[in-house]
């Protein structure tokens, strides 16, 4: 099985540790993982800004010869999945890949900290990694299954207000939505807030830092790697 | 003023309560739709029926017109909102009507009928409670099903010159005031939720009975309705009646559901309004014609709940409004498709499966002429130029970055940028 790691450009720039941890996790499962170094951006910022782009085609060129492409970002994955490309149906978000393909579960069952999971919109509503409250379908959550243990979720499964370009155009409402999301999660007294999209987490963290909330916020790959590393 | 500014103003005044009220309605809706085991199949079916309607719109208009006329209903076709308003004026003049009672109709709002009739010295009384409140306040509805959701009971007491702000008391008072208007009007205007092509019927769903009272008391009943409200057959109606009220307010069905057909002792007129719909059918936004105006996309939208409907400035706000408004005035409403995080909640609640995320992105494309981003797109294809961008990002002093991302920096801390990248060549 030939696997490629997609390194989302914003993660490469702003939190390269996530890419490293994702690579370590995949290698932990004895997978043959390559990191194509000529990769750039999947095109998401342009598509979502209404700018015509051929970047998804470039993504396809770079990754089409792999069996699976794994990415620690559900928003990038959903951009690729929505295109009609060779790579569309073999590009997976990290937890989705662990759940659907590797069939891994309960990795963080014995994690010492109380985890709150932020279900990002792209993960929940675009990739259906869980059951959104809007639909009349039975409850499930792949990410929670992968983590295992007692995972907290927000009372409202609504958007955290990041929204990429939205956060730059509507700073105030973006802030209010993030503040509401933090309050919703913090009320349940978690030790750490996590999720599959670093973009949402970065947004929540920047609000927590500005407002002085004392809460650890980290990407799910970091928690998964901590757990795997401990059992080694 | 643009959406982001109006949103700040509204949120600071009323946002948290508005958000809470609408979220409660969202939850009622969730409960109501979960009573129907096959809800998701119903959505698929409803979506297919509406797709059929769009594809066969012209034929269905013809079929409906023929069948409605057979029942003794007068049918007009208005290509524009001006034509629609002129037809109504002519009909009212014939009846020498100086006052007309109207029940809730987003179409007459779309056509600015109230303003037009006022200029022609005809008084229009909105008889839906919420709609009457906004009319007395000199405003437009802020939500298509809950037009006065942005107001407080104290504000309602004030426009009625009352000190008692008890909702039941105020409703009774409004009822008494409206009763006078009903008895002195000469004509009734209603909208319609559905038009049944194979029968020539118009279906009106309301909760207050005001549409039915207005129609019963008057010799002239005018139905103003968009051609997108057509359904092929009476057999399709059940699906939509089951979905409409549940999705809008969490009710199983609206309190009143009236099927208007053959008139007795009165004149019934139906004005089928195009006003850009046929043109839209031929555009990339044709799927917006599937909309049944249930308002669930407004109620669920996390931005709408916090910004209020007036921040959208267009008569139909929220996600569906952000798809319709720029087609009416591209320059004025170009901010609306961006007043959205692309969270996809609207798409999930939509009973006819309008692909909102895709359409909102298309609408962003339709309104955008960003040259800098276009240049960035070209250069980012190469990992070498990407690296150059990355270098610039790291060399730019923080105060400058804060200035460049000022909407972010006003409310949040800028993230620290690490020295090393993961793929860094």
């Amino acid at each position: 099985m030939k696997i490629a790691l997609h390194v989302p450009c914003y993660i490469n720039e702003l939190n390269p540790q996530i890419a490293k941890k994702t690579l370590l996790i995949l290698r932990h499962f004895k997978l043959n993982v390559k990191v194509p170094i000529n990769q750039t951006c999947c095109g998401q910022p342009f598509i979502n800004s209404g700018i015509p782009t051929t970047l998804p085609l470039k993504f396809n060129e770079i990754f089409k010869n792999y069996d699976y492409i794994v990415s620690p970002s559900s928003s990038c994955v959903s951009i690729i999945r929505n295109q009609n490309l060779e790579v569309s149906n073999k590009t997976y978000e990290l937890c989705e890949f662990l759940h659907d393909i590797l069939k891994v579960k309960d990795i963080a069952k014995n994690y010492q900290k109380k985890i709150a999971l932020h279900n990002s919109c792209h993960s929940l509503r675009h990739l259906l990694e869980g059951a959104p409250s809007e639909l009349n379908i039975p409850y499930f959550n792949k990410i929670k299954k992968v983590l295992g243990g007692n995972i907290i979720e927000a009372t409202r499964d609504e958007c955290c207000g990041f929204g990429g370009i939205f956060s730059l155009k509507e700073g105030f409402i973006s802030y209010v939505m993030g503040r509401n999301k933090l309050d919703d999660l913090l009320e349940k007294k978690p030790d750490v807030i996590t999720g599959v999209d670093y973009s949402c987490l970065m947004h929540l963290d920047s609000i927590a830092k500005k407002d002085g909330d004392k809460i650890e916020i980290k990407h799910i790959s970091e928690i998964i790697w901590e757990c795997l590393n401990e059992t080694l | 003023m643009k959406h982001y500014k109006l949103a700040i103003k509204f949120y600071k005044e009323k946002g948290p309560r508005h958000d809470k009220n609408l979220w409660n309605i969202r939850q009622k809706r969730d409960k109501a739709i979960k009573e129907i085991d096959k809800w998701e199949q119903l959505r698929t079916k409803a979506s297919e029926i509406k797709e059929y309607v769009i594809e066969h719109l012209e034929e269905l208009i013809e079929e409906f017109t023929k069948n409605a006329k057979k029942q003794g209903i007068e049918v007009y076709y208005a290509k524009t909102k001006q034509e629609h308003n002129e037809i109504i004026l002519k009909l009212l003049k014939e009846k020498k009507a100086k006052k007309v009672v109207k029940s809730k109709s987003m179409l007459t709002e779309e056509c600015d009928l109230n303003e037009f009739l006022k200029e022609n010295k005809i008084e229009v009384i909105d008889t839906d409670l919420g709609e009457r409140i906004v009319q007395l306040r000199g405003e437009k509805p802020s939500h298509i099903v809950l037009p006065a959701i942005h107001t407080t009971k104290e504000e309602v007491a004030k426009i009625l010159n009352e000190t008692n702000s008890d909702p039941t008391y105020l409703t009774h008072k409004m009822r008494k005031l409206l009763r006078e208007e009903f008895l002195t009007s000469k004509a009734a205007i209603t909208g319609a939720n559905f038009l049944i092509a194979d029968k020539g019927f118009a279906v009106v769903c309301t909760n207050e009975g005001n549409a039915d009272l207005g129609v019963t008391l008057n010799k002239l009943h005018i139905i103003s309705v968009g051609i997108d409200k057509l359904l092929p057959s009476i057999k399709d109606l059940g699906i939509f009646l089951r979905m409409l009220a549940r999705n809008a307010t969490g009710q199983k069905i609206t309190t009143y559901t009236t099927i208007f057909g053959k008139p007795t002792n009165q004149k019934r007129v139906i004005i089928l309004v195009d006003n850009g719909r046929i043109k839209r059918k031929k555009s990339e936004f044709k799927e917006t014609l599937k909309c049944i105006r249930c308002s669930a996309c407004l109620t669920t939208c996390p931005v709408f709940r916090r910004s209020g409907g007036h921040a959208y400035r267009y008569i139909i706000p929220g996600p569906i409004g952000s798809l319709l408004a720029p087609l009416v005035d591209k320059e004025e409403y170009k901010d609306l498709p961006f007043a959205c995080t692309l969270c996809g909640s609207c798409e999930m609640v939509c009973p006819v499966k309008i692909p909102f995320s895709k359409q909102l992105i298309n609408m962003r494309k339709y309104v955008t002429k960003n040259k800098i981003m276009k240049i960035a797109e070209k250069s980012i294809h190469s990992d070498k130029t990407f690296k150059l961008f990355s270098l610039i990002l790291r060399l730019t002093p923080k105060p400058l970055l804060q200035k460049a991302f000022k909407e972010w920096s006003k409310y949040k801390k800028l993230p620290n940028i690490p020295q090393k990248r993961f793929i860094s060549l």
Side-chain angles (χ1 to χ4, degrees):
Chain A
M1 195 155 63
K2 267 173 67 191
I3 314 276
L5 174 68
H6 167 242
V7 180
C9 55
Y10 67 97
I11 282 178
N12 201 31
E13 299 302 327
L14 301 172
N15 198 340
Q17 276 303 314
I18 295 172
K20 189 178 162 189
K21 299 286 159 64
T22 307
L23 183 62
L24 290 170
I25 293 166
L26 295 171
R27 293 217 165 124
H28 170 90
F29 291 103
K30 313 267 182 284
L31 297 167
N32 172 16
V33 189
K34 293 276 185 301
V35 185
I37 54 164
N38 54 342
Q39 54 177 303
T40 59
C41 165
C42 66
Q44 178 177 198
F46 302 100
I47 291 174
N48 291 354
S49 308
I51 306 295
T53 177
T54 51
L55 282 164
L57 298 176
K58 184 179 159 77
F59 184 102
N60 192 55
E61 277 311 304
I62 292 171
F63 290 104
K64 68 180 180 194
N65 293 323
Y66 293 90
D67 298 318
Y68 292 107
I69 302 99
V70 180
S71 171
S73 163
S74 70
S75 61
C76 300
V77 173
S78 88
I79 286 290
I80 294 303
R81 204 166 291 170
N82 279 333
Q83 317 281 325
N84 202 1
L85 299 169
E86 241 180 295
V87 288
S88 293
N89 290 320
K90 50 182 188 178
T91 304
Y92 282 76
E93 184 278 313
L94 170 66
C95 286
E96 197 185 26
F97 182 74
L98 293 174
H99 178 276
D100 292 2
I101 307 301
L102 300 185
K103 315 237 186 271
V104 177
K105 57 178 183 183
D106 295 334
I107 297 180
K109 208 167 108 188
N110 300 317
Y111 197 62
Q112 325 82 310
K113 293 176 185 167
K114 202 164 149 190
I115 302 172
L117 171 67
H118 165 55
N119 289 300
S120 52
C121 300
H122 281 95
S123 158
L124 190 67
R125 279 179 281 270
H126 294 260
L127 295 182
L128 283 179
E129 288 187 80
S133 59
E134 292 92 346
L135 298 181
N136 187 2
I137 55 172
Y139 177 85
F140 71 98
N141 190 308
K142 293 181 184 178
I143 303 157
K144 275 173 82 175
K145 248 173 115 180
V146 167
L147 291 177
N150 195 11
I151 310 286
I152 299 162
E153 286 176 277
T155 308
R156 290 184 182 190
D157 63 352
E158 67 175 343
C159 177
C160 70
F162 172 64
I165 191 170
F166 177 79
S167 65
L168 304 177
K169 290 204 176 232
E170 299 239 5
F172 178 75
I173 295 293
S174 172
Y175 162 79
V176 169
M177 287 168 71
R179 187 65 253 163
N180 292 165
K181 179 61 72 184
L182 277 174
D183 290 340
D184 187 335
L185 291 168
L186 291 177
E187 200 186 46
K188 299 174 182 188
K189 309 246 179 293
D191 301 315
V192 55
I193 295 175
T194 193
V196 300
D197 276 282
Y198 176 63
S199 46
C200 305
L201 299 176
M202 174 183 75
H203 156 78
L204 292 174
D205 194 47
S206 68
I207 292 172
K209 289 223 167 80
K210 184 116 178 178
D211 290 357
D213 294 294
K214 289 197 175 50
I215 181 72
E216 191 184 357
I217 299 180
K218 57 183 174 189
H219 188 258
I220 201 146
S221 61
E222 304 189 53
I223 293 181
I224 294 177
W225 177 244
E226 265 177 68
C227 296
L228 293 175
N229 204 15
E230 220 160 72
T231 57
L232 280 179
Chain B
M1 231 194 275
K2 291 297 179 192
H3 181 277
Y4 80 100
K5 274 198 178 156
L6 292 165
I8 298 175
K9 198 168 161 269
F10 179 81
Y11 188 84
K12 288 188 170 161
E13 221 179 295
K14 292 174 170 173
R17 238 187 60 142
H18 188 261
D19 170 44
K20 196 173 146 237
N21 289 343
L22 286 172
W23 184 257
N24 283 341
I25 294 170
R26 213 335 273 283
Q27 284 184 304
K28 273 195 206 164
R29 173 255 172 216
D30 292 352
K31 203 170 153 240
I33 67 123
K34 278 165 190 169
E35 288 168 2
I36 297 182
D37 292 341
K38 293 192 172 163
W39 176 260
E40 300 305 328
Q41 285 100 306
L42 272 188
R43 286 177 71 215
T44 307
K45 187 81 195 147
S47 164
E48 286 166 4
I49 294 170
K50 288 301 261 189
E51 267 161 29
Y52 176 90
V53 170
I54 299 172
E55 292 314 316
H56 300 82
L57 197 52
E58 289 86 349
E59 297 151 49
L60 288 170
I61 292 170
E62 217 171 285
E63 190 188 347
F64 176 84
T65 307
K66 192 183 80 199
N67 289 327
K69 280 182 177 165
K70 241 190 255 170
Q71 310 208 45
I73 301 174
E74 250 177 55
V75 184
Y76 290 85
Y77 188 86
K79 227 177 146 19
T80 60
K81 63 181 197 181
Q82 290 79 11
E83 269 182 45
H84 163 264
N85 292 349
E86 290 294 344
I87 294 167
I88 291 196
L89 182 64
K90 185 189 84 149
L91 290 164
L92 293 178
K93 276 187 172 162
E94 277 168 16
K95 272 271 177 265
K96 298 196 172 53
K98 283 278 156 214
K99 185 192 283 185
V100 51
V101 283
K102 193 175 101 200
S103 77
K104 201 168 159 347
S105 147
M106 290 313 297
L107 184 86
T108 57
E109 300 283 357
E110 176 187 320
C111 294
D112 297 314
L113 179 71
N114 285 17
E115 291 75 7
F116 175 81
L117 290 181
K118 200 174 159 194
E119 279 163 30
N120 286 283
K121 312 244 168 338
I122 293 174
E123 195 183 0
V124 185
I125 307 290
D126 277 309
T127 57
D128 173 270
L129 177 59
E131 193 100 351
R132 184 67 179 150
I133 293 169
V134 294
Q135 190 180 33
L136 289 173
R137 280 167 60 87
E139 289 177 329
K140 291 281 186 182
S142 70
H143 184 288
I144 61 179
V145 167
L146 311 157
I149 186 78
H150 62 288
T151 57
T152 62
K153 55 185 198 286
E154 289 75 23
E155 285 171 334
V156 177
K158 205 174 140 203
I159 49 155
L160 294 178
N161 294 320
E162 289 286 343
T163 45
N164 184 350
S165 63
D166 173 59
T168 310
Y169 173 79
L170 292 173
T171 308
H172 278 288
K173 163 111 192 212
M174 193 69 107
R175 187 174 185 269
K176 220 164 121 188
L177 291 171
L178 280 172
R179 197 51 54 125
E180 266 310 299
E181 308 288 359
F182 276 114
L183 294 171
T184 52
S185 65
K186 283 280 194 291
I189 299 175
T190 70
N193 297 83
F194 307 103
L195 295 174
I196 313 293
D198 68 347
K199 297 283 177 193
F201 294 155
V203 183
V204 178
C205 306
T206 64
N207 275 324
E208 295 163 29
N210 53 314
D212 301 82
L213 185 61
V215 172
T216 312
L217 289 173
N218 284 290
K219 288 280 176 221
L220 173 63
H221 175 203
I222 302 169
I223 300 174
S224 286
V225 58
I227 50 177
D228 47 327
K229 294 291 180 73
L230 276 159
L231 293 180
S233 163
I234 189 86
K235 287 184 213 140
D236 303 317
L237 182 61
I239 294 171
F240 289 91
L241 289 182
R242 286 183 87 190
M243 300 187 91
L244 179 65
R246 283 179 197 267
N247 219 35
T249 53
Q251 294 165 277
K252 287 186 172 66
I253 192 161
T254 44
T255 317
Y256 299 87
T257 301
T258 309
I259 300 180
F260 289 109
K262 191 177 162 62
T264 43
N265 296 327
Q266 72 181 155
K267 178 168 162 170
R268 178 161 297 133
V269 180
I270 293 184
I271 309 172
L272 300 172
V273 184
D274 174 344
N275 201 31
R277 286 166 175 75
I278 292 286
K279 195 177 153 208
R280 199 166 1 124
K281 180 192 156 164
K282 292 168 189 150
S283 79
E284 59 182 321
F285 301 107
K286 73 171 178 185
E287 275 157 312
T288 56
L289 289 168
K290 287 160 87 178
C291 177
I292 62 167
R293 303 284 188 270
C294 72
S295 81
C297 64
L298 280 61
T299 303
T300 198
C301 176
V303 178
F304 178 92
R305 273 188 269 116
R306 289 166 178 88
S307 76
H310 288 150
Y312 294 78
R313 289 118 46 223
Y314 184 60
I315 190 61
I316 297 176
I320 185 67
S322 300
L323 293 177
L324 298 175
L327 296 175
V328 175
D329 188 337
K330 192 164 162 178
E331 195 49 36
E332 170 63 23
Y333 299 118
K334 64 180 179 192
D335 57 321
L336 295 186
F338 291 95
C340 156
T341 63
L342 296 173
C343 78
S345 187
C346 44
E347 194 166 326
M348 304 261 112
V349 296
C350 182
V352 289
K353 295 194 172 179
I354 295 172
F356 274 99
S357 306
K358 210 191 271 172
Q359 294 266 286
L360 281 158
I361 285 174
N362 285 347
M363 190 47 86
R364 288 180 181 189
K365 221 185 269 177
Y366 178 79
V367 300
T368 301
K369 288 182 285 207
N370 195 329
K371 276 200 187 124
I372 297 169
M373 283 291 275
K374 277 183 186 161
I375 295 165
E377 197 278 331
K378 289 276 168 297
S379 47
I380 232 161
H381 279 262
S382 144
D383 47 319
K384 307 254 165 14
T385 25
F386 201 116
K387 207 191 164 197
L388 190 69
F389 277 126
S390 162
L391 199 68
I392 295 168
L393 184 72
R394 279 166 179 76
L395 291 175
T396 312
K398 205 150 191 187
L400 262 179
L401 278 182
Q402 276 165 345
K403 225 174 165 182
F405 298 104
K406 73 170 195 289
E407 267 300 293
W408 180 287
S409 309
K410 259 191 247 171
Y411 310 100
K412 309 169 210 169
K413 222 175 143 281
L414 269 189
N416 289 323
I417 299 167
Q419 272 315 307
K420 281 186 82 176
R421 303 158 84 212
F422 181 70
I423 303 176
S424 58
L425 289 176

